[in-house]
Amino acid sequence: MTGTAKTFTRRLLRWYDGARRDLPWRADATTGRVPSPYHVLVSEAMLQQTQVATVIPYFHRFIARFPTLADLAAADEQEVLRLWQGLGYYSRARNLLAAARTVVGECGGQLPDTVEGLLALPGVGRYTAGAVASIAFGRRAPILDGNVTRVLCRLDRIESDPREPSTQALLWQRAEEVIPAKRAGDFNSAMMELGATVCTPRAPRCLTCPVRVHCEAAAAGVQDRIPTPRKAKATPLFHRHVYCVRRDDRWLIEQRPAKGRWAGMWQFVTAEATDGLARQIGRKSLVRIGDVSHALTHRRYHFAVFTCDAHTEFASDHSRPRKWVTLDELSNYPLPRPHIKIAGMLASLPKD
Ligand code: SF4
């Protein structure tokens, strides 16, 4: 970065004061109201891997249902997952609940106000601890998310892969060096805001960037190739069969195991495509109604979706809790996104 940290901070904060988006978990720019530490914690959990526009309605619903950390600590996990449904990465919801219970059970109901104290909570990593400590408590704590990483790489013209541990260490060091003692939370928010709205992954708006005079990548005209793109890696594809078993107007759902992907959530009966369940049910009884594809960060799924009637001889993993529910009652259960799509397919089937 060229120029002094002081002038960089002054330019960045001046821009932020005028350009910041009015987000529900942020301090009120007109009244100066300090954001609630609980709101910041919830928003940071939701914002990991997820766009701001997607998070806003989830945040409102979540806070309306659990207005305080104590309300969340007393919540039923199924209800928390239900409110999180569609956001994905459900371990974030479970960790948030565990953190709330730890705060109520072991910290007198008050969120710790230091990075060290926050790091001791379940599921709170260095980024979240820094965000809460700086934004909610004004601590001079660095953060490094995707946006800040991109901005720092470009400002400093760092051309090594930001996912490499040595580059990560360098970026954390830089994040710590540039953060000012005053308005640390606003500074961190401004860095994220700059990355989200100006220094975007593709076609950064350098001509209108408030800190362009400090940017080494823009000076060299290499901003478009920084940070180094991730090497494309083929993600494995997994095939599953989904058996939507019907009895009158009810459908059979099962609960997933307590550990692993989509832990504790509910789904239509699902098996690996190769496990022979279709053979047991009898292929003639099955009606294929469509396919659903679903991509996660490191794997993809293909679901072949079938319906069949309950009188069909049916034997799969009975160790999983099961229920018969109407499509309307499904809204009481947290479902992974592919099964929400499958419920939509069932709703649009012609009535007998
Ligand atoms: Fe990003 Fe361009 Fe601003 Fe540099 S000048 S920080 S590349 S938007």
Side-chain angles (χ1 to χ4, degrees), residues 240-313:
R240 297 284 184 267
H241 282 179
V242 178
Y243 303 106
C244 304
V245 187
R246 176 170 39 196
R247 190 172 69 193
D248 302 323
D249 65 342
R250 293 180 178 271
W251 299 88
L252 185 61
I253 57 171
E254 61 182 12
Q255 190 172 27
R256 292 183 59 85
K259 293 222 177 317
R261 195 174 311 285
W262 298 312
M265 300 180 80
W266 291 78
Q267 62 183 16
F268 298 100
V269 176
T270 303
E272 290 186 14
T274 52
D275 85 340
L277 189 55
R279 220 171 21 252
Q280 289 174 32
I281 294 171
R283 289 195 188 283
K284 283 198 191 129
S285 315
L286 295 173
V287 178
R288 185 158 180 171
I289 60 166
D291 300 82
V292 171
S293 296
H294 188 68
L296 298 166
T297 317
H298 300 297
R299 54 172 59 194
R300 292 170 297 142
Y301 285 100
H302 170 263
F303 298 93
V305 185
F306 302 87
T307 57
C308 63
D309 288 323
H311 56 70
T312 307
E313 196 54 41

Side-chain angles (χ1 to χ4, degrees), residues 4 53 94 98 103 111 133 289:
T4 65
R94 272 185 288 274
V103 170
L111 259 182
I289 60 166

